[in-house]
Amino acid sequence: MGLPALEFSDCCLDSPHFRETLKSHEAELDKTNKFIKELIKDGKSLISALKNLSSAKRKFADSLNEFKFQCIGDAETDDEMCIAKSLQEFATVLRNLEDERIRMIENASDVLITPLEKFRKEQIGAAKEAKKKYDKETEKYCGILEKHLNLSSKKKESQLQEADSQVDLVRQHFYEVSLEYVFKVQEVQERKMFEFVEPLLAFLQGLFTFYHHGYELAKDFSDFKMQLTISIQNTRNRFEGTRSEVESLMKKMKENPLEHKTISPYTMEGYLYVQEKRHFGTSWVKHYCTYQRDSKQITMVPFDQKSGGKGGEDESVTLKSCTRRKTDSIEKRFCFDVEAVDRPGVITMQALSEEDRRLWMEAMDGREPVYNSNKDSQSEGTAQLDSIGFSIIRKCIHAVETRGINEQGLYRIVGVNSRVQKLLSVLMDPKTASETETDICAEWEIKTITSALKTYLRMLPGPLMMYQFQRSFIKAAKLENQESRVSEIHSLVHRLPEKNRQMLQLLMNHLANVANNHKQNLMTVANLGVVFGPTLLRPQEETVAAIMDIKFQNIVIEILIENHDKIFNTVPDMPLTNAQLHLSRKKSSDSKPPSCSERPLTLFHAMQSTEKQEQRNSIINSSLESVVSSNANSILNSSSSLQPNMNSSDPDLDVLKPTRPNSLTPFRKAKALYACKAEHDSELSFSAGTVFDSVHPSQEPGWLEGTLNGKTGLIPENYVEFL
């Protein structure tokens, strides 16, 4: 298991979990620093002490073999695994060379020692300086905050306002220092994957040249060397992409942290001072508190930010009521009283500011007024997967393949934005789009056309491969072997809506043609994955963890390009019939219940009479001969649960669509086919066989609105059977 990602949004909360995660990153940096220092020492000994050459090389090889890389995230790419095992490969080579005992090359110091010392000094040293600054600001902020909170409310209003302003400035500076430190820590963790291995690779290459036995050994090593070089370059390219994304996210967090807070499972969380009665009086103890509105559970964790340790045992109580504390009833500011069901007496708490108290009161349904500052800032593009959209993409592809397939840096080199927008406005004009002419005028540069294609895909209301399948595609890319990855991605592609799948097939066929000409245009499959991964498979929420998964998005696109013929032209091996689906669900339920985000392919099941069913089947069979391909026929014949609908408004997009009840007619009764655990407050949890009171259409695609025991929420539409 790798190191957990450090989220910028956690810098503001500065929670115990954030501090523990930060400690693990700091420990890894210290471990790397010590290892590099020892490695430099061993390297110098290897160069200078020819008499001890054999023992020095053995120790050096052992050091390499013992070190293990730790990546950020829960899985590694093939390139990262290649880099991670490179040290063990180097150690094996050094052990083989130990028998030869030949002199070290004269320039070993330049290719090995100097880069490692530079990395240790410039990168790890900078991280240490950032840590000192962060620790200093932490102590300063906590000290000023405690002094500020101890101010008497009876002081003059001007003095209190001045103190509030001072605390806000210190808090903002501490937050910025925290963001910069987290950014630097993660940057060093990523840099070491290539800046640390490259000097070792150069050192080994030098050994092959000067060693008497090096020629034969170099031939054995050449395949891995090539693979490692490509992996390092790929890792470097991904680092450059993710670094700019992370830096951009950090800047956004600095400008407006409230708009980029991580979605939390708690209604409210943060630090509060809790009044505790002691035998010598009362004291105020700092706690990290969380509150869940559904269960009304308040959890209080005594924690000292300066020492980074707990000050006692956690305590959980059930909220009964919350009341704002009047200023004239207590010397402390920002206070409120909490009564618990399972604890006698009143718990007096002090928030960090008036705004903080308002948020806690709002979360606990106290007597403070409720403000709803959440706004839906999501804006949808004007692009759609309709006949105009397909026409635009086809025209762009035709222009690229006929005029610019061999242009270097195809799709990587971007066009001038004003020209791109002008071309899109021309292509999206209904009058122009309706024309049968497939050629784009030669006055438009190829880089403008390729940028217009990518921009149009980004303008869609959602990514082409859909938000709801994004995590599933990433999981597929993290599977251990290539065959499993291809198989899982094959199945996921056929779960996409038909228009999405058709557009994706059109695009992948084109990108395969581009990759086939990589010797001229320099755009390999890996390069195309870097370009199109974030566009086709972008996440719904922008976080550091999501940015770290960009490399797996690229791998998904690489698999789609390399296996486009199989994925789009063959039916995946997956259960489609009702009996098969029930059997697979029954087997999987013994080990792990299915998640709502990993829904099966089964769609609506409409109960019909035998005559109506036979009539529908006869209509389907007669229509399939002229509309549907042989692959679609095989799907239909293997699954009686998929009922085609041949009404299509676009002749270019005639596809099989599942029969479903009229979206304007509410369903009276429905039964759950599978169990589902709610992942959000707006969803319902239910077990297999549950009969809902009523089920109605929902505005959310792929979801229905159901009522169960008086509670209404969203349910996956393919988890129910209508009665």
Side-chain angles (χ1 to χ4, degrees):
M1 187 65 182
L3 295 171
L6 287 168
E7 296 292 348
F8 288 128
S9 58
D10 291 339
C11 293
C12 182
L13 291 176
D14 199 13
S15 65
H17 175 69
F18 169 75
R19 288 283 180 159
E20 291 296 327
T21 304
L22 188 58
K23 278 188 176 181
S24 65
H25 280 262
E26 292 171 348
E28 177 62 21
L29 283 180
D30 290 338
K31 178 182 175 183
T32 304
N33 183 42
K34 292 178 182 178
F35 173 71
I36 293 178
K37 183 178 179 181
E38 187 68 20
L39 194 62
I40 293 173
K41 179 180 178 182
D42 294 342
K44 290 180 179 179
S45 176
L46 183 63
I47 295 171
S48 62
L50 297 178
K51 293 181 181 180
N52 298 323
L53 182 59
S54 178
S55 60
K57 288 170 62 178
R58 179 65 63 183
K59 186 176 185 298
F60 189 70
D62 291 343
S63 297
L64 292 177
N65 192 53
E66 291 172 0
F67 184 78
K68 301 292 188 299
F69 280 114
Q70 291 289 338
C71 69
I72 297 178
D74 57 357
E76 296 178 336
T77 64
D78 291 340
D79 292 326
E80 289 172 337
M81 288 188 286
C82 178
I83 293 175
K85 73 175 183 179
S86 62
L87 300 187
Q88 286 70 39
E89 293 290 334
F90 297 156
T92 302
V93 172
L94 290 176
R95 290 193 185 99
N96 292 334
L97 289 175
E98 192 275 331
D99 295 333
E100 300 301 325
R101 302 191 182 188
I102 306 299
R103 294 172 59 91
M104 178 72 73
I105 57 176
E106 294 180 355
N107 64 339
S109 178
D110 294 334
V111 300
L112 177 66
I113 305 302
T114 302
L116 292 179
E117 288 178 336
K118 182 179 178 181
F119 175 77
R120 181 167 173 263
K121 180 179 179 181
E122 295 181 358
Q123 300 300 326
I124 298 181
K128 287 185 175 181
E129 290 297 323
K131 174 176 171 52
K132 292 179 182 179
K133 184 178 179 181
Y134 176 70
D135 292 339
K136 182 178 179 181
E137 289 299 323
T138 299
E139 185 174 356
K140 178 181 177 182
Y141 167 66
C142 294
I144 291 179
L145 182 62
E146 291 178 358
K147 184 185 296 184
H148 174 67
L149 294 175
N150 287 327
L151 287 176
S152 174
S153 60
K154 298 180 179 179
K155 287 185 175 294
K156 293 181 179 180
E157 184 64 26
S158 59
Q159 293 178 329
L160 294 177
Q161 291 179 355
E162 182 179 357
D164 290 345
S165 300
Q166 182 181 3
V167 170
D168 290 340
L169 290 174
V170 173
R171 182 187 295 112
Q172 179 64 26
H173 187 253
F174 167 70
Y175 180 50
E176 293 178 357
V177 170
S178 177
L179 288 172
E180 293 170 356
Y181 177 48
V182 168
F183 173 75
K184 187 62 181 176
V185 168
Q186 296 199 116
E187 179 184 16
V188 175
Q189 293 282 24
E190 290 290 301
R191 277 183 177 273
K192 72 178 182 181
M193 295 294 287
F194 53 86
E195 290 193 2
F196 175 51
V197 178
E198 276 185 319
L200 295 172
L201 182 61
F203 169 68
L204 287 178
Q205 185 60 40
L207 287 177
F208 297 148
T209 306
F210 291 90
Y211 275 56
H212 178 70
H213 193 62
Y215 177 70
E216 291 296 330
L217 188 60
K219 286 203 305 183
D220 297 337
F221 189 78
S222 60
D223 290 340
F224 179 76
K225 182 188 71 173
M226 180 63 67
Q227 182 183 1
L228 181 58
T229 303
I230 295 173
S231 296
I232 290 174
Q233 187 60 44
N234 290 341
T235 304
R236 183 192 296 274
N237 292 339
R238 288 166 182 157
F239 164 76
E240 293 298 335
T242 56
R243 184 183 184 277
S244 60
E245 294 288 339
V246 173
E247 188 173 11
S248 174
L249 179 58
M250 183 189 70
K251 291 179 180 178
K252 292 179 183 178
M253 294 294 297
K254 282 185 177 181
E255 294 171 358
N256 198 340
L258 295 179
E259 288 188 1
H260 296 84
K261 282 189 175 181
T262 304
I263 298 176
S264 173
Y266 303 107
T267 308
M268 185 65 185
E269 60 181 320
Y271 283 100
L272 293 171
Y273 282 83
V274 180
Q275 187 182 49
E276 295 185 358
K277 295 182 180 180
R278 307 288 174 87
H279 63 278
F280 53 83
T282 60
S283 63
W284 294 84
V285 181
K286 196 174 189 179
H287 289 69
Y288 190 83
C289 302
T290 60
Y291 175 68
Q292 179 59 260
R293 177 173 288 169
D294 291 342
S295 60
K296 292 188 175 297
Q297 285 292 313
I298 305 174
T299 302
M300 299 176 287
V301 181
F303 188 81
D304 185 5
Q305 289 173 275
K306 292 183 288 186
S307 65
K310 288 185 177 182
E313 296 297 326
D314 301 358
E315 182 181 3
S316 294
V317 297
T318 303
L319 176 69
K320 180 179 180 182
S321 65
C322 175
T323 308
R324 180 176 61 85
R325 190 70 177 263
K326 292 183 179 180
T327 305
D328 55 3
S329 66
I330 191 171
E331 291 188 356
K332 296 282 187 179
R333 305 170 68 200
F334 320 134
C335 293
F336 59 93
D337 292 337
V338 170
E339 290 187 74
V341 175
D342 45 3
R343 173 174 164 173
V346 175
I347 306 172
T348 301
M349 296 180 171
Q350 182 184 25
L352 304 183
S353 64
E354 185 63 40
E355 175 65 14
D356 191 37
R357 178 172 69 170
R358 185 188 69 78
L359 293 175
W360 279 103
M361 294 283 294
E362 178 182 338
M364 294 184 182
D365 298 322
R367 288 189 292 176
E368 287 289 311
V370 178
Y371 298 95
N372 185 6
S373 60
N374 297 325
K375 296 182 180 179
D376 185 7
S377 60
Q378 183 179 2
S379 60
E380 294 188 355
T382 58
Q384 298 292 335
L385 291 178
D386 52 12
S387 58
I388 294 178
F390 275 81
S391 174
I392 291 172
I393 298 301
R394 288 195 181 99
K395 288 180 181 180
C396 291
I397 289 176
H398 182 266
V400 172
E401 294 190 347
T402 54
R403 294 198 280 122
I405 195 71
N406 293 326
E407 283 203 12
Q408 291 189 359
L410 192 64
Y411 285 108
R412 173 162 282 184
I413 299 176
V414 298
V416 179
N417 185 58
S418 59
R419 295 278 294 169
V420 173
Q421 296 301 326
K422 185 176 180 180
L423 174 59
L424 278 175
S425 64
V426 172
L427 293 175
M428 295 175 70
D429 186 347
K431 297 180 180 179
T432 306
S434 61
E435 297 176 0
T436 57
E437 180 69 33
T438 58
D439 291 340
I440 295 178
C441 184
E443 69 175 270
W444 299 101
E445 295 179 296
I446 291 299
K447 65 180 181 180
T448 303
I449 297 173
T450 56
S451 297
L453 185 147
K454 292 185 294 181
T455 302
Y456 189 85
L457 293 174
R458 287 193 290 267
M459 288 168 60
L460 293 171
L464 188 60
M465 298 172 73
M466 304 187 69
Y467 289 128
Q468 67 189 85
F469 294 110
Q470 196 263 353
R471 290 307 307 163
S472 298
F473 277 111
I474 295 298
K475 289 179 182 178
K478 293 179 180 179
L479 295 177
E480 294 183 359
N481 60 74
Q482 185 72 2
E483 184 179 352
S484 300
R485 297 173 191 168
V486 175
S487 177
E488 183 63 20
I489 290 175
H490 190 185
S491 300
L492 289 171
V493 166
H494 283 262
R495 291 171 61 185
L496 292 172
E498 189 68 21
K499 290 186 179 182
N500 294 63
R501 186 165 69 252
Q502 286 190 342
M503 179 65 80
L504 189 62
Q505 180 178 5
L506 180 66
L507 188 61
M508 291 304 115
N509 289 340
H510 167 60
L511 295 183
N513 292 336
V514 173
N516 289 337
N517 294 272
H518 70 274
K519 291 183 179 180
Q520 291 78 29
N521 57 39
L522 306 182
M523 292 303 292
T524 62
V525 172
N527 290 338
L528 292 171
V530 171
V531 173
F532 281 91
T535 298
L536 302 179
L537 207 59
R538 67 181 183 270
Q540 193 164 13
E541 183 183 3
E542 186 179 13
T543 64
V544 173
I547 293 174
M548 292 302 163
D549 277 340
I550 289 178
K551 52 194 174 187
F552 295 105
Q553 297 174 10
N554 304 343
I555 290 174
V556 173
I557 304 305
E558 293 174 23
I559 291 174
L560 288 173
I561 296 174
E562 292 174 339
N563 303 273
H564 69 281
D565 188 57
K566 173 185 176 182
I567 290 176
F568 293 101
N569 295 327
T570 63
V571 180
D573 297 330
M574 59 187 301
L576 289 176
T577 65
N578 220 16
Q580 288 174 314
L581 184 59
H582 277 293
L583 181 60
S584 63
R585 282 292 171 180
K586 183 177 181 181
K587 291 180 178 179
S588 63
S589 64
D590 296 335
S591 57
K592 182 180 179 180
S595 170
C596 287
S597 62
E598 299 171 345
R599 299 189 289 274
L601 190 62
T602 302
L603 302 173
F604 290 93
H605 299 272
M607 303 300 290
Q608 301 181 15
S609 65
T610 304
E611 294 181 358
K612 290 183 179 180
Q613 183 65 38
E614 292 176 353
Q615 182 181 3
R616 177 178 291 277
N617 289 338
S618 65
I619 295 173
I620 293 167
N621 292 332
S622 62
S623 301
L624 283 173
E625 297 176 359
S626 59
V627 180
V628 188
S629 64
S630 58
N631 288 333
N633 272 311
S634 62
I635 296 175
L636 181 66
N637 295 330
S638 63
S639 175
S640 62
S641 64
L642 291 176
Q643 304 296 336
N645 181 2
M646 305 311 299
N647 296 325
S648 176
S649 60
D650 189 349
D652 293 333
L653 303 176
D654 288 341
V655 295
L656 280 177
K657 299 180 181 177
T659 300
R660 58 186 297 169
N662 188 340
S663 61
L664 299 177
T665 305
F667 309 121
R668 294 184 179 276
K669 291 287 185 179
K671 183 176 71 174
L673 295 174
Y674 318 104
C676 180
K677 183 178 180 181
E679 298 178 354
H680 301 285
D681 294 341
S682 61
E683 300 174 10
L684 286 179
S685 294
F686 52 86
S687 57
T690 299
V691 177
F692 297 94
D693 300 333
S694 63
V695 177
H696 302 269
S698 169
Q699 295 181 353
E700 296 289 337
W703 295 82
L704 298 170
E705 186 176 286
T707 302
L708 180 63
N709 298 329
K711 183 178 180 181
T712 301
L714 295 176
I715 57 178
E717 65 179 7
N718 51 352
Y719 267 49
V720 297
E721 180 179 37
F722 300 99
L723 305 177

